[in-house]
Amino acid sequence: DIHNPRAKVVVCANCGAQLDLTSPDYAFLGVVHHDPMTAPLKVGQIATDDDGTRWRVLGQLRYEDDGFHWDEFLRQADDGRTFWIQYDDGKFAFYTPRRLKEALDPLKCTGRFDLEGKGYVCKSFGAALIQRIEGELTWKATVGQTVRWIDAGALAMEWTERELEVFDVAPVSKGRIVQLFGMSRAELEAGCYLQADDSDDDGDDDDSGDDDSGGCGLTVFTTLRRSIG
């Protein structure tokens, strides 16, 4: 079943078939072959916020940039709201989509820039390849597609030739993820991969579970990004 009426592509968890949900007959885009992979969350998992709102993980993207990878998970509430959770080498963050009220050229945002009355500094930027897709997505993504990105701390951008998304970014602890999804710490840690050159990052975060960012948001870009300056 399709859970999000705004979904534009879906990948079958059983056979790997990718369908274009924007075409009249759900055009077949090909087969995405899936080898087993390690990831902290899975499509279909349910989370419950403190106010009782239920969220489902609808889709997953795995990106690769310069030999490193990270995961982004699309989460949808029962009332239709969506946002992303990104996992990047031991760190989680919520990415809340922002509806812009003014025009934005991301190519002009690789230094200091202003957006809607607030100043930002680009910390890093790059171009990633989509390595893997699972479940439903709200934009037409394909394996092998290039997605450009900018990390400006509390703000992030991702775009292709056709689409641009801007996000408000809020870091979230592993303890909070465990609490929201009703997982054990061991279950979460089993999927929390670390990559070789991050040995200087101990991966510690606030695991108290009292993170107040349980609303919406996306991920912190860590050492996998091309630094500015």
Side-chain angles (χ1 to χ4, degrees):
D1 294 338
I2 304 300
H3 296 279
N4 187 337
R6 299 189 302 275
K8 295 184 179 180
V9 296
V10 64
V11 174
C12 175
N14 295 318
C15 67
Q18 183 175 7
L19 304 179
D20 179 358
L21 301 181
T22 65
S23 63
D25 299 317
Y26 290 178
F28 176 70
L29 298 177
V31 175
V32 180
H33 295 288
H34 285 168
D35 295 324
M37 73 169 174
T38 299
L41 300 174
K42 295 179 175 60
V43 172
Q45 277 187 270
I46 302 294
T48 305
D49 279 345
D50 296 336
D51 63 1
T53 301
R54 282 168 35 96
W55 299 78
R56 178 189 296 270
V57 177
L58 290 187
Q60 176 185 357
L61 286 166
R62 174 160 287 186
Y63 288 102
E64 189 276 335
D65 186 355
D66 197 24
F68 297 96
H69 62 266
W70 65 93
D71 292 300
E72 297 182 3
F73 303 90
L74 177 63
R75 195 172 98 158
Q76 177 178 280
D78 288 343
D79 61 12
R81 289 176 293 149
T82 59
F83 74 96
W84 293 82
I85 301 173
Q86 191 180 59
Y87 173 76
D88 188 352
D89 261 24
K91 302 290 185 179
F92 288 92
F94 290 155
Y95 277 46
T96 303
R98 178 189 289 195
R99 292 189 176 183
L100 296 180
K101 300 176 182 178
E102 59 186 54
L104 173 66
D105 181 354
L107 297 178
K108 297 180 179 179
C109 299
T110 55
R112 294 181 181 274
F113 64 94
D114 293 324
L115 181 61
E116 298 182 335
K118 187 174 181 179
Y120 297 91
V121 178
C122 176
K123 296 182 176 181
S124 52
F125 64 94
L129 291 179
I130 297 176
Q131 190 180 77
R132 182 161 178 159
I133 299 172
E134 290 196 2
E136 302 172 31
L137 298 178
T138 52
W139 60 286
K140 293 182 69 172
T142 56
V143 171
Q145 183 177 6
T146 298
V147 178
R148 302 184 71 175
W149 55 265
I150 283 175
D151 168 21
L155 188 80
M157 304 178 197
E158 296 181 359
W159 73 96
T160 64
E161 292 181 352
R162 295 185 177 183
E163 299 184 65
L164 165 68
E165 288 190 286
V166 178
F167 304 95
D168 292 308
V169 180
V172 60
S173 70
K174 289 180 180 178
R176 181 61 172 163
I177 295 293
V178 165
Q179 183 183 59
L180 289 171
F181 283 92
M183 308 168 67
S184 70
R185 183 58 183 257
E187 286 179 293
L188 183 67
E189 291 289 359
C192 288
Y193 55 82
L194 293 173
Q195 296 173 79
D197 81 336
D198 289 331
S199 57
D200 59 335
D201 183 357
D202 60 14
D204 289 344
D205 61 2
D206 176 13
D207 290 332
S208 65
D210 295 331
D211 191 324
D212 62 0
S213 58
C216 300
L218 195 66
T219 282
V220 172
F221 297 107
T222 58
T223 58
L224 307 189
R225 311 299 192 261
R226 183 177 306 129
S227 297
I228 304 297

